[in-house]
Amino acid sequence: MGWLGRRARKRLLFLGLAWLTVVGIIASSVALGNASTLPQLNQPQNSYLAQSLDPVSRFSQGKTDYDRGRFADAVLAWQAAEQVYQQAGDRTNQAISLNYLSLAYQHLGQWEQAKTAIEESLNLLTTPTDPALLAQVLNTKGSLQLATGQSEAALQTWKAAETAYSQADDAIGVLGCQINQAQALQSLGMFRRSQQVLERVQKALTLQPDSLIKATGLRSLGMVWQAIGELDEAQNVLKQSLAIAQILNSPADISAAFLNLGNTARVLGDRDAAITYYHKAAKTATNPLNQLEAQLNQFKLLISQQQFNQAQDLFTPIQHNLSQLSPSRYAIYAQVNWAESLIELLDNPAGYSPESITSEDIAQLLAQTIAQAKALNDIRAESLALGTLGKLYKTNQQGLEAQRLIQQALFFSKTINARDISYQWQWQLTQLYQQTGDLNAAITANQDAFNLLQSIREDLVAMNPDVQFSFQEQIEPIYRNLVRLLLERPSPDNLKQARNVIESLQLAELENYFRASCLNAKAEQIDSVIEDSDTQTAVIYPIILPDRIAVILSLPGQPLETYNTELPQAEIEQTVNQLRQSMNIAYSNRKRLTISQTIYDWLIRPIETQLAQQDIKTLVFVLDGVLRNVPMAALHDGQQYLIEKYSIALTPGLQLLEPRSLTQLQLRSLTGGLSEPRLGFSALPAVKNEIEQVSTNIPSNVLLNEAFTSTALENKINTLPVSVVHLATHGQFSSNPEDTFILTWDKRFNANTLSQLLKGRNQDNFPPIELLVLSACQTANGDQRAALGLAGLAVRSGTRSTIGTLWSVKDQSTAQAMIQLYNNLTKPDINRAEALRQAQLFLLRQNKYKHPYYWAPFILVGNWL
């Protein structure tokens, strides 16, 4: 299936796909369960069964229907077989039938029926039975549990399935269960353990002799690596799978490997490579459905790149393959996907519209698709087809008909609790209500869409690359639009809700960036921190909307308030980007101050009096979009910089983990760094002195130069009960997590891995890191999402606070700032934000370092106390 199809069957694709292929529950990357590979029933001993009711034929028909995506028909066939076996007292075959019934129910979104069927199957296997059969049933139960949010239960069930496969001497089954366990661990936020499990599986698979089952296993492993965001590993194992399939000359497996390599390249942002892979996948496919999936993905990418002539070349092949499909869920998803792409073409801003396709053609295609879904009794597929037809009417400015169709689609998606598509229909309704000026209905629908996204956020972002790929186009606007609607009626309740949406957007962006859940621990809201611990702090939430920059202000003991500056979004972002550029020493001071004052006027000028009246000492910013890449410390009021008046901290807004002051703790540090040139990076001669001075201020374990290896760093983090980790080395934060790293003596150490290590300390009952200092790292210049890497590291690692830099800094000035920072941290009654502020002011007051280039890039993310 194409992108829409995979989005629609989000859970079972990745939650079950991995190894249910190899262990006997799922058989290809397109069809969720190929009947020909499912275990065969035991032949009935009762001659009456064999001759009269023929349950084996009914069971086989169910497998055929299941493989073709006709899940409602599969249910009927397997129900009939199960009833016959029950009447005959054939417990084993009855258990197998119930197992498959549960699978079909899961595809239909009928979770209670799926649960009942799998529990009845297990009850029939209470007496000693074939361990391989027990393992298969447990595997199905684990898939159901993970699909319904019971991650811990799924983990335990898959451990039991692994034990059963071991008893059956099924090594491949064992590996499959381990992959499923890794997915459950990922869902629980145990990233390090998940990665370790997958690495063991990968090693074990590599040792297996080449075979098609090994190729399939590697492909499934690659898809799981991709789903959890380890894209380099995904490419590696998918290429191994491809190589084996090519050696064994299996066109179907070759095509599947190319398809998944294309999906991985797409998530990596290498669209040209993705298009090439999709072309090869289509060329080597052995059936119209597999070929169609590759063609649809290729077509979608070509449109996104406005390569319309190449896209036009795919029209005839796609339409031919569509005509070859018999009615099934997969055929419906393919047709809906095709219709969505055509709607996008008709509505594209480049003005391209193929003469061979009209709105009437698309409407007719979708009407046929709706009829097929009704005939199949596939409610989920019917909802998708109805909603897509509603989007077509919306595009054609036929609002009333669009509203009717989308409401009908929403009704169907709600009946099966398909929240992952319900939120899309609520969003479509929001836009329709806004077009008619019905603000109340728009807010309600937008709020419902937001609530649905919140309820499935981790699943969408962590387990669905389609949402990762299109987050900024499909998910982010839902958050921003709700803020805009709420601020049009700024009541106290609406302002609280708007702030909640801003914070939720911050977390969703971070999870999208990392392709994984960032924060699962119970956390404390900022309001309670301010009221209980720090009554001299104001929290400022600027958010960039299409027609303004809106700001929400939170003052201790005061109701929230809002103010805004009306400007086009493009002008806001251009000004902010100019401020970033003006931090270069070569830039005109006069122009820099003018730009700085402009942004000061947006964010601070309207509240200067209130900040003074409440004796505010610290400003905490929850920054949005491009604002994350500029230093708030360098904003200027015409007389002085903001840092000269306030301590400044940044936070994703969300929550702080058990905030407490550093003065309550006995500080100990793990300090590492490079002063010598390494791996193409220049020397940082001042680092040696920096590390010596840090060690003088607080007790430290030191790793310098050749001692600062990735292995040594991992070992020290895993074994030392330190409260501070200080790393003075080159590093970079980029919009691509794979390009986000710190430099050790032997390699670029991925920041994602670092965050997992630090998070692992908490899981191993170590105290969390109170302060992580990255004194020579930078966010990538001109990269609008780069600062997410720094903020995400702070949140995802579980560290209370992180200090990093927004651009590459001089090591001499950095060393002085760091020395002052630790001098300040050892003083009584000084918090982290003030300690950093005083270090920045120390540089600002020196003539040679007074330019913001030297002192402004240092930012504190997280707990400022």
Side-chain angles (χ1 to χ4, degrees):
M1 301 321 320
W3 295 343
L4 181 66
R6 273 198 300 277
R7 184 160 62 246
R9 52 188 164 88
K10 158 186 68 76
R11 282 191 177 274
L12 288 179
L13 177 62
F14 283 105
L15 303 186
L17 178 79
W19 268 91
L20 302 180
T21 300
V22 179
V23 302
I25 295 180
I26 289 180
S28 80
S29 63
V30 175
L32 284 169
N34 185 328
S36 64
T37 68
L38 294 171
Q40 298 299 310
L41 284 169
N42 299 323
Q43 291 298 315
Q45 302 301 312
N46 187 306
S47 61
Y48 172 75
L49 291 178
Q51 296 174 12
S52 177
L53 299 179
D54 194 14
V56 174
S57 295
R58 295 185 180 187
F59 190 89
S60 297
Q61 182 59 50
K63 293 162 90 175
T64 300
D65 290 331
Y66 180 86
D67 184 41
R68 292 177 178 173
R70 305 173 65 99
F71 302 118
D73 290 342
V75 164
L76 293 175
W78 284 334
Q79 280 177 335
E82 187 269 333
Q83 290 169 5
V84 174
Y85 288 125
Q86 181 184 29
Q87 293 170 6
D90 189 340
R91 295 170 63 92
T92 299
N93 283 333
Q94 184 186 357
I96 294 173
S97 300
L98 286 164
N99 177 60
Y100 292 137
L101 261 177
S102 180
L103 283 172
Y105 281 135
Q106 288 182 49
H107 284 288
L108 291 170
Q110 298 178 16
W111 306 112
E112 288 302 319
Q113 295 93 323
K115 180 180 178 182
T116 298
I118 202 63
E119 292 298 340
E120 289 180 2
S121 179
L122 283 168
N123 288 338
L124 291 168
L125 299 177
T126 52
T127 57
T129 188
D130 178 4
L133 174 57
L134 176 62
Q136 291 157 11
V137 177
L138 287 171
N139 235 334
T140 301
K141 181 178 180 180
S143 177
L144 173 63
Q145 288 169 325
L146 193 58
T148 53
Q150 303 173 66
S151 302
E152 180 61 45
L155 177 63
Q156 299 306 319
T157 298
W158 277 325
K159 286 182 178 178
E162 179 185 353
T163 299
Y165 275 122
S166 295
Q167 294 171 352
D169 293 324
D170 188 339
I172 295 296
V174 168
L175 293 176
C177 287
Q178 290 173 354
I179 286 189
N180 284 337
Q181 290 170 45
Q183 292 186 82
L185 289 167
Q186 184 77 14
S187 181
L188 289 166
M190 299 180 182
F191 312 111
R192 184 169 163 232
R193 285 180 58 188
S194 174
Q195 187 176 36
Q196 290 171 342
V197 169
L198 291 173
E199 287 171 348
R200 288 198 299 270
V201 171
Q202 186 167 330
K203 183 177 180 181
L205 263 178
T206 304
L207 297 175
Q208 293 282 329
D210 286 352
S211 65
L212 290 181
I213 203 167
K214 178 180 177 180
T216 304
L218 287 168
R219 186 170 71 247
S220 298
L221 178 61
M223 296 173 72
V224 176
W225 276 126
Q226 179 195 350
I228 68 173
E230 297 291 342
L231 301 182
D232 289 338
E233 290 294 345
Q235 280 193 324
N236 179 30
V237 295
L238 287 171
K239 287 179 179 178
Q240 291 178 42
S241 174
L242 174 63
I244 294 171
Q246 289 172 328
I247 290 171
L248 299 177
N249 193 27
S250 172
D253 290 281
I254 292 170
S255 177
F258 277 133
L259 178 66
N260 286 291
L261 280 166
N263 293 340
T264 303
R266 172 171 56 85
V267 179
L268 277 168
D270 190 349
R271 298 188 179 190
D272 290 337
I275 287 172
T276 300
Y277 281 129
Y278 288 144
H279 176 74
K280 292 180 178 179
K283 188 175 181 180
T284 54
T286 55
N287 64 65
L289 188 61
N290 291 356
Q291 187 176 62
L292 184 60
E293 178 174 18
Q295 289 169 337
L296 288 169
N297 285 5
Q298 183 181 357
F299 184 81
K300 195 100 171 181
L301 269 181
L302 288 169
I303 291 175
S304 71
Q305 294 186 302
Q306 297 189 7
Q307 298 180 22
F308 299 122
N309 290 332
Q310 296 92 317
Q312 182 83 41
D313 293 339
L314 289 171
F315 268 54
T316 300
I318 288 175
Q319 289 176 320
H320 172 76
N321 280 328
L322 282 171
S323 69
Q324 301 301 304
L325 300 181
S326 58
S328 70
R329 172 177 285 189
Y330 308 124
I332 292 169
Y333 284 172
Q335 292 172 92
V336 169
N337 187 347
W338 177 233
E340 282 228 326
S341 293
L342 295 178
I343 293 170
E344 184 179 343
L345 262 184
L346 292 177
D347 196 36
N348 82 87
Y352 175 85
S353 181
E355 295 180 359
S356 58
I357 296 293
T358 67
S359 296
E360 290 75 15
D361 295 328
I362 304 172
Q364 183 177 1
L365 170 66
L366 288 169
Q368 294 171 352
T369 304
I370 292 167
Q372 290 177 7
K374 285 182 180 293
L376 292 171
N377 194 26
D378 193 326
I379 295 174
R380 186 182 185 89
E382 186 175 357
S383 175
L384 281 168
L386 279 165
T388 305
L389 183 57
K391 288 164 68 175
L392 175 63
Y393 277 99
K394 175 172 165 282
T395 299
N396 284 352
Q397 307 300 316
Q398 296 173 265
L400 290 177
E401 184 62 19
Q403 184 176 324
R404 184 186 69 80
L405 288 164
I406 293 170
Q407 286 174 333
Q408 192 175 357
L410 179 62
F411 171 80
F412 283 126
S413 63
K414 283 183 173 180
T415 62
I416 57 171
N417 196 30
R419 294 172 293 174
D420 58 312
I421 54 176
S422 291
Y423 85 85
Q424 300 176 53
W425 307 148
Q426 292 285 16
W427 174 232
Q428 293 298 318
L429 288 173
T430 300
Q431 295 169 294
L432 286 168
Y433 292 137
Q434 285 181 249
Q435 289 174 4
T436 61
D438 191 343
L439 185 60
N440 288 333
I443 290 176
T444 299
N446 207 158
Q447 181 71 62
D448 288 342
F450 167 77
N451 291 339
L452 286 164
L453 276 176
Q454 290 298 95
S455 70
I456 58 174
R457 187 192 69 227
E458 293 180 8
D459 297 322
L460 280 175
V461 176
M463 302 304 292
N464 189 343
D466 296 327
V467 175
Q468 296 161 10
F469 179 72
S470 59
F471 178 85
Q472 290 172 292
E473 292 80 22
Q474 295 187 17
I475 305 299
E476 187 175 332
I478 297 175
Y479 291 82
R480 293 190 182 280
N481 193 71
L482 181 54
V483 172
R484 186 170 72 85
L485 291 175
L486 290 166
L487 292 183
E488 288 187 17
R489 294 185 176 176
S491 67
D493 287 343
N494 280 358
L495 287 179
K496 286 183 180 179
Q497 178 59 18
R499 183 182 64 172
N500 177 48
V501 176
I502 293 170
E503 295 185 351
S504 299
L505 172 60
Q506 296 275 332
L507 180 55
E509 286 183 300
L510 289 172
E511 290 178 330
N512 174 254
Y513 174 86
F514 280 107
R515 306 183 188 97
S517 175
C518 283
L519 187 63
N520 291 320
K522 185 177 180 180
E524 188 168 348
Q525 290 289 340
I526 284 178
D527 278 350
S528 62
V529 178
I530 294 174
E531 292 171 6
D532 297 340
S533 308
D534 186 2
T535 58
Q536 293 182 304
T537 294
V539 185
I540 299 172
Y541 301 79
I543 185 163
I544 300 172
L545 299 173
D547 59 349
R548 77 193 83 163
I549 181 166
V551 186
I552 295 177
L553 172 67
S554 175
L555 289 169
Q558 300 293 320
L560 296 176
E561 60 181 274
T562 183
Y563 50 97
N564 63 78
T565 302
E566 294 184 1
L567 286 171
Q569 180 176 347
E571 184 175 338
I572 294 168
E573 292 180 342
Q574 181 182 20
T575 303
V576 174
N577 287 331
Q578 285 175 344
L579 180 61
R580 167 81 181 211
Q581 296 165 12
S582 75
M583 292 296 110
N584 190 304
I585 296 176
Y587 206 90
S588 163
N589 276 332
R590 182 178 59 81
K591 290 183 179 179
R592 172 175 54 79
L593 290 173
T594 298
I595 298 167
S596 177
Q597 289 171 38
T598 296
I599 299 176
Y600 182 95
D601 290 343
W602 296 346
L603 305 184
I604 307 299
R605 187 82 66 189
I607 57 172
E608 283 180 327
T609 301
Q610 292 165 277
L611 297 177
Q613 288 174 344
Q614 290 209 220
D615 195 26
I616 296 298
K617 302 295 186 185
T618 303
L619 301 181
V620 177
F621 289 91
V622 181
L623 295 177
D624 180 43
V626 294
L627 286 167
R628 300 187 189 104
N629 288 335
V630 296
M632 295 296 102
L635 299 186
H636 202 273
D637 66 1
Q639 301 296 323
Q640 57 187 160
Y641 291 106
L642 196 61
I643 195 66
E644 296 182 83
K645 297 191 287 186
Y646 302 101
S647 301
I648 295 172
L650 309 179
T651 175
L654 315 165
Q655 302 98 359
L656 301 173
L657 299 175
E658 299 181 85
R660 55 179 174 174
S661 170
L662 280 179
T663 59
Q664 300 171 344
L665 304 170
Q666 182 69 39
L667 294 183
R668 293 185 60 86
S669 171
L670 167 61
T671 305
L674 296 176
S675 63
E676 299 179 7
R678 198 68 187 159
L679 302 180
F681 289 85
S682 60
L684 297 169
V687 161
K688 188 173 182 180
N689 181 51
E690 176 183 332
I691 289 179
E692 289 174 353
Q693 292 296 322
V694 170
S695 302
T696 300
N697 279 288
I698 59 175
S700 302
N701 289 88
V702 175
L703 299 172
L704 181 62
N705 292 329
E706 62 270 12
F708 183 52
T709 65
S710 56
T711 301
L713 180 61
E714 288 190 46
N715 290 339
K716 295 294 185 182
I717 288 175
N718 286 332
T719 58
L720 293 178
V722 296
S723 53
V724 176
V725 173
H726 182 101
L727 303 177
T729 180
H730 290 286
Q732 177 173 289
F733 293 92
S734 163
S735 60
N736 184 350
E738 283 68 41
D739 293 333
T740 296
F741 65 92
I742 62 168
L743 189 68
T744 60
W745 182 261
D746 55 328
K747 69 177 185 179
R748 295 184 178 194
F749 195 79
N750 186 272
N752 200 10
T753 304
L754 177 61
S755 71
Q756 291 176 4
L757 280 172
L758 295 170
K759 184 76 171 180
R761 287 172 52 90
N762 298 347
Q763 296 166 1
D764 296 334
N765 297 317
F766 272 96
I769 300 299
E770 289 290 336
L771 181 62
L772 171 65
V773 180
L774 305 169
S775 74
C777 297
Q778 62 167 320
T779 58
N781 188 30
D783 190 333
Q784 292 193 6
R785 302 189 79 208
L788 286 172
L790 182 55
L793 176 60
V795 173
R796 195 175 179 215
S797 65
T799 58
R800 309 287 196 223
S801 309
T802 298
I803 292 177
T805 53
L806 290 173
W807 56 78
S808 183
V809 289
K810 298 296 184 183
D811 74 318
Q812 289 289 345
S813 56
T814 299
Q816 290 193 36
M818 292 299 104
I819 292 167
Q820 290 300 316
L821 171 70
Y822 286 97
N823 283 338
N824 296 332
L825 287 173
T826 58
K827 297 176 182 177
D829 301 323
I830 187 168
N831 63 31
R832 298 169 227 222
E834 181 62 17
L836 179 59
R837 172 177 178 260
Q838 291 298 333
Q840 290 174 288
L841 292 178
F842 176 80
L843 295 181
L844 172 60
R845 289 164 183 163
Q846 299 181 55
N847 282 334
K848 62 180 178 178
Y849 295 138
K850 67 180 180 180
H851 193 284
Y853 167 80
Y854 296 102
W855 52 263
F858 300 103
I859 57 173
L860 171 67
V861 181
N863 181 11
W864 62 90
L865 299 177

